[in-house]
Amino acid sequence: MAYGSRDLPARPRRGRVAPRNMEWLLAVLPAFPLVLLVLRLWYAGRQDTQTLLLLVQHVSPLSLLSSALIPGLWIIPGVVLVLRVLSALYLVSARRSSLLVRVADRIPDWVLVVAVAVALLAWQLRFLPTLLMLTLAVLGLTVRERGHGRFAVRFVGVVLPLLAAVVCYALLAPAIVDAVHEGDRVTLLLAMPPGLSALLTGPVPRAFAWVISHGVALLVALVLPVVVGVVFLRVPVLPLVAVETTGEDGLPPVIVGYTITVDDRMTTFLSTDGIVRFVDNDHLGFQTLCPDPAEIPNSRVDLRGWYVEESMISWLAPERATTTDDPRCQGRRTSS
């Protein structure tokens, strides 16, 4: 019997058995993004029903879909990898199947590869060591689960994570030191070595296998909707602009808000304080596009010019020209 494969249940071939009683899931899945989109507009309108109806009438469906895609690029790969790690850990520890194992078994290997590739491009630099840890854990558990030889199990499950940890520490040492000096606790995730995956590739005591795997899975299932909701509610769905006005009709000197619609007579704004303003175009002056507050970086830690809050996509993309802060974005007129 090959090392690591003793008493493991026979795994069915993927795609052989059609799922049963999944009609409810197929009906709920399309509704979940729709509910999030409606909640996003309701939140943007400061929980006012009339403002919600106005936004629904004018907001582009494409902008709503793009706002749902942005958080999904880093949430979905994380869920897929964590689910695969927990299910495989339970299988090699308890040597029996469960609902968690059956659900994860329906995830093909190519989906795992795509999830890792998407996360590599979309996750921030400070989360990439965690991605490497999860990837090595999935690889080590898969080798053990599928009954490969003793040498392969030890190399993939122990030696490879330790080598990856040494390389990561050598590359990320300057950023880790800067994070300690800055007191940036989130960025200290860089200090989480992929070598910890060596602790996830071996079986845990059978008495604790269910508690560890299913307990963490249940915790993720409870926390994930809250995290998705919080992240999604902060994603912009309208352009944030600052517009100077003539000050007539009780208008503030500068309107900072989101442009809902523009026609030949007036422009409709949703100000940052949740007030809808219908402004005659004759009362509008210069305007500028403002950065969204969520896009302003909070950490000054970088690794050879790659800031820890930047993803690989943003790092590889052409750099935007730096511009001075426009006072109109803070609600003040320009000096001119």
Side-chain angles (χ1 to χ4, degrees):
M1 183 67 65
Y3 180 80
S5 63
R6 184 179 57 187
D7 297 331
L8 287 179
R11 296 177 61 84
R13 295 179 60 183
R14 303 181 193 269
R16 298 285 297 190
V17 181
R20 299 178 180 178
N21 300 326
M22 299 297 290
E23 293 82 2
W24 64 271
L25 181 60
L26 297 178
V28 170
L29 283 180
F32 183 68
L34 181 61
V35 171
L36 286 179
L37 295 177
V38 174
L39 287 176
R40 177 64 185 94
L41 296 181
W42 183 68
Y43 180 80
R46 296 298 191 272
Q47 301 85 49
D48 182 71
T49 304
Q50 296 301 318
T51 305
L52 168 64
L53 296 177
L54 179 67
L55 293 175
V56 170
Q57 183 180 1
H58 292 96
V59 173
S60 168
L62 183 59
S63 64
L64 292 175
L65 292 177
S66 62
S67 64
L69 178 63
I70 294 174
L73 286 177
W74 64 270
I75 293 176
I76 295 177
V79 172
V80 171
L81 292 175
V82 170
L83 179 63
R84 185 67 180 87
V85 169
L86 294 177
S87 64
L89 182 63
Y90 177 76
L91 186 63
V92 300
S93 302
R95 299 187 177 92
R96 58 186 178 186
S97 183
S98 68
L99 177 61
L100 179 65
V101 174
R102 291 192 296 269
V103 171
D105 189 54
R106 297 185 182 276
I107 302 177
D109 292 340
W110 65 266
V111 173
L112 295 174
V113 176
V114 172
V116 172
V118 171
L120 183 63
L121 295 174
W123 285 15
Q124 298 177 2
L125 169 61
R126 55 187 173 186
F127 299 131
L128 292 186
T130 304
L131 172 63
L132 181 58
M133 181 187 68
L134 292 175
T135 304
L136 292 176
V138 169
L139 184 60
L141 287 169
T142 301
V143 170
R144 181 184 295 273
E145 172 191 345
R146 297 181 179 177
H148 291 275
R150 183 186 300 268
F151 174 79
V153 171
R154 289 183 175 177
F155 178 79
V156 177
V158 179
V159 178
L160 187 60
L162 294 179
L163 290 177
V166 173
V167 174
C168 281
Y169 271 134
L171 294 176
L172 302 176
I176 295 174
V177 173
D178 291 342
V180 173
H181 291 164
E182 294 288 338
D184 192 341
R185 297 180 180 179
V186 178
T187 304
L188 285 178
L189 289 173
L190 287 170
M192 179 181 293
L196 289 178
S197 58
L199 304 177
L200 301 177
T201 56
V204 298
R206 181 178 298 187
F208 302 101
W210 194 95
V211 175
I212 294 176
S213 59
H214 291 69
V216 175
L218 180 60
L219 180 62
V220 171
L222 294 176
V223 174
L224 184 62
V226 179
V227 175
V228 172
V230 171
V231 173
F232 186 77
L233 291 178
R234 297 186 177 185
V235 176
V237 294
L238 291 169
L240 180 64
V241 298
V243 185
E244 292 186 357
T245 70
T246 59
E248 302 178 14
D249 296 337
L251 293 174
V254 178
I255 297 177
V256 181
Y258 303 94
T259 304
I260 299 178
T261 182
V262 180
D263 56 31
D264 55 350
R265 294 187 56 227
M266 62 179 51
T267 302
T268 306
F269 296 98
L270 175 64
S271 61
T272 53
D273 55 4
I275 300 176
V276 177
R277 298 181 183 274
F278 301 91
V279 184
D280 193 302
N281 291 336
D282 295 334
H283 296 165
L284 299 179
F286 294 102
Q287 59 180 320
T288 183
L289 188 66
C290 298
D292 188 78
E295 298 177 354
I296 300 176
N298 297 318
S299 177
R300 296 181 295 177
V301 180
D302 69 288
L303 180 66
R304 298 176 178 85
W306 182 0
Y307 286 92
V308 294
E309 291 182 306
E310 292 182 345
S311 63
M312 185 175 293
I313 293 179
S314 61
W315 187 62
L316 296 176
E319 185 177 359
R320 294 184 301 178
T322 57
T323 57
T324 57
D325 294 334
D326 196 317
R328 287 173 292 190
C329 292
Q330 283 77 41
R332 306 191 308 269
R333 286 186 179 272
T334 57
S335 57
S336 57

